[in-house]
Amino acid sequence: MLKSQFKIRLDPQEVENLDNRQAQRYCLQKIDNLYRPELGQAERYLLLEMLDYAWKEHLYYMDHLRSGIGLVGYAQQDPKVEYKREGMKAFEQMWDRIAEQSTSAIFRLEAESSPQFLESLWADATAQHSTARSAVEEYQTSGPGESAGQEQKAVEPIRKFDAKVGRNDPCPCGSGKKYKKCHGAEA
């Protein structure tokens, strides 16, 4: 049927070890790859972006958890056990969140999958190494923060020219109190 209707040739060795459900899934994937390859690429790109973002957030959360997990020792709990427990709970929540977000995003992507949308999605996806190479070469020849052909300017240090008020000097606000009892106490 695939050969006659869709002009898709299957290698019998690829399908012979699969059960009915897996063979059906394999055939549907071949049809999708033939007629909608851009959508498959967009789905893969979307999933990779979501996984990358979720994993970075999870690692950030784990760093934050590690910095504060020592406080559970005051509650007579083992910090290592609590760290593992909280980390596993956060990991499972991350996968649940990815599943929900990816499903809704893919359905939105398929709803928008007109040919013009998919063409515009991949229109600017080509890399141009010649422009990147020239920027790198310019950076190496001129250095950071300067244009080619200009002289380097020395960075001026920041200086405070006002007189420093001592702790026992009268406060500059005019209250008559010592600085340490007036505005020096706020610092």
Side-chain angles (χ1 to χ4, degrees), residues 3-26:
K3 187 176 181 181
S4 63
Q5 288 185 353
F6 298 108
K7 297 181 176 75
I8 296 174
R9 296 184 183 192
L10 291 178
D11 187 16
Q13 296 173 352
E14 293 176 351
V15 198
E16 73 182 19
N17 294 334
L18 304 175
D19 64 6
N20 288 341
R21 181 179 287 168
Q22 290 173 338
Q24 182 181 14
R25 220 180 272 151
Y26 180 76

Side-chain angles (χ1 to χ4, degrees), residues 46-69:
L46 181 70
L47 286 173
L48 282 174
E49 285 294 317
M50 292 176 104
L51 281 171
D52 185 46
Y53 178 75
W55 185 247
K56 287 177 188 175
E57 287 295 315
H58 178 70
L59 291 176
Y60 176 72
Y61 173 78
M62 292 302 289
D63 283 343
H64 184 66
L65 180 65
R66 182 177 52 195
S67 67
I69 200 67

Side-chain angles (χ1 to χ4, degrees), residues 103-117:
T103 303
S104 77
I106 287 174
F107 280 128
R108 278 186 270 130
L109 181 68
E110 288 181 356
E112 291 287 328
S113 64
S114 65
Q116 295 84 14
F117 172 75

Side-chain angles (χ1 to χ4, degrees), residues 50 94-106 108:
M50 292 176 104
M94 177 191 72
W95 279 113
D96 292 341
R97 195 171 47 254
I98 288 173
E100 291 173 14
Q101 290 175 349
S102 63
T103 303
S104 77
I106 287 174
R108 278 186 270 130

Side-chain angles (χ1 to χ4, degrees), residues 36-44 106 109-110 113 118 122:
R36 296 170 54 156
E38 296 89 9
L39 189 60
Q41 291 173 348
E43 287 173 352
R44 265 185 253 120
I106 287 174
L109 181 68
E110 288 181 356
S113 64
L118 292 173
W122 297 103

